[in-house]
């Protein structure tokens, strides 16, 4: 499913984000930046040790990465030249600022991409794995945040959501149809 928001193509695909050939892929990292399970583990395995090496340097200079913030490293052996590491919120029931923190994770990742003059970015479904954010509300926050950003900033060519499983992909399609009718 895809549509154009302002000047940017926004698309949803089912797949493995480690295979994306966008300028950057976004990692749903944890504050320690030392790798982990899920998409984080897959990105480090596919990209090789250069990514972890830069994460270690960032960690040494700045300490743990707060929830909702983002940093950028090399993509190592990935097709994407860069990995943007962001930390989504752990789901605690929805009354602990989760939606705003999730929005911040997407916004800060997009800001970094624009600052580095990157043109294309892929996102996974941040926080909906181990961090337990229910996928339907997470999809709404993710897409609304990206759409709001693209309506203000025209510099990106494409934003792709690469969703690992069909249930997640369908949840994002439903959310996008509600937020921006007219996509196909
Ligand atoms: P979090 O800790 O932020 O919840 P997870 O990695 O546990 O992050 O899960 C986030 C989403 O990423 C889940 O929908 C999971 O299925 C998905 N995922 C796992 N591996 C990949 C991959 N290789 N490409 C894209 N998405 C992936």
């Amino acid at each position: 499913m895809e549509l154009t928001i302002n000047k940017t193509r926004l698309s949803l695909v089912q797949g493995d984000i480690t295979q994306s050939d966008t300028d950057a892929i976004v990692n749903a990292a944890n504050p320690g930046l030392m790798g982990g399970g899920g998409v984080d583990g897959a990105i480090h395995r596919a990209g090789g040790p250069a990514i972890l090496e830069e994460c270690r340097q960032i960690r040494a200079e700045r300490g743990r990465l707060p929830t909702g913030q983002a940093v950028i490293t090399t993509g190592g052996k990935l097709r994407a030249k860069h990995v943007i590491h962001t930390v989504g919120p752990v789901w605690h029931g929805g009354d602990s600022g989760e939606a705003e923190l999730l929005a911040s994770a997407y916004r800060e990742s997009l800001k970094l991409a624009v600052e580095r003059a990157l043109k294309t970015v892929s996102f996974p479904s941040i926080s909906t794995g181990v961090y337990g954010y229910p996928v339907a509300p997470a999809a709404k926050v993710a897409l609304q945040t990206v759409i709001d950003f693209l309506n203000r900033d025209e510099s990106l060519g494409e934003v792709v959501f690469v969703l690992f499983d069909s249930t997640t992909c369908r949840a994002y399609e439903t959310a996008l149809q509600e937020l921006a009718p007219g996509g196909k």
Side-chain angles (χ1 to χ4, degrees):
M1 182 172 172
E2 65 176 65
L3 69 164
T4 301
I5 307 289
N6 199 7
K7 300 274 172 65
T8 307
R9 201 151 69 119
L10 174 61
S11 50
L12 309 179
V13 299
Q14 192 182 338
D16 176 354
I17 200 167
T18 65
Q19 303 303 312
S20 282
D21 63 357
T22 48
D23 296 334
I25 64 172
V26 176
N27 180 18
N30 55 55
L33 291 176
M34 289 295 117
V39 71
D40 194 5
I43 288 172
H44 281 286
R45 273 194 302 281
I51 302 175
L52 198 58
E53 187 45 47
E54 266 189 59
C55 283
R56 241 186 228 115
Q57 279 169 22
I58 292 168
R59 174 76 202 264
E61 284 162 18
R62 308 178 36 162
R64 290 166 71 80
L65 184 63
T67 304
Q69 299 297 304
V71 295
I72 187 165
T73 67
T74 176
K77 294 187 291 183
L78 295 169
R79 294 163 80 185
K81 285 216 166 53
H82 305 275
V83 176
I84 295 171
H85 306 262
T86 190
V87 181
V90 175
W91 180 256
H92 291 296
D95 293 330
S96 304
E98 290 94 333
E100 186 39 47
L101 288 166
L102 185 62
S104 175
Y106 283 97
R107 218 164 27 231
E108 294 301 317
S109 298
L110 290 167
K111 271 196 218 163
L112 259 186
V114 169
E115 273 168 33
R116 297 296 186 99
L118 307 182
K119 294 294 172 201
T120 56
V121 182
S122 301
F123 281 101
S125 177
I126 297 167
S127 283
T128 66
V130 172
Y131 279 7
Y133 206 124
V135 65
K140 260 192 196 167
V141 170
L143 290 163
Q144 187 65 64
T145 304
V146 170
I147 289 168
D148 288 348
F149 188 94
L150 299 180
N151 275 323
R152 287 192 305 268
D153 186 299
E154 303 186 339
S155 58
L156 292 169
E158 183 171 26
V159 174
V160 188
F161 280 86
V162 182
L163 305 159
F164 205 45
D165 57 275
S166 58
T167 308
T168 303
C169 197
R170 272 198 299 275
Y172 275 72
E173 282 172 1
T174 302
L176 188 54
Q177 268 150 8
E178 282 172 13
L179 292 172
K184 51 181 179 221

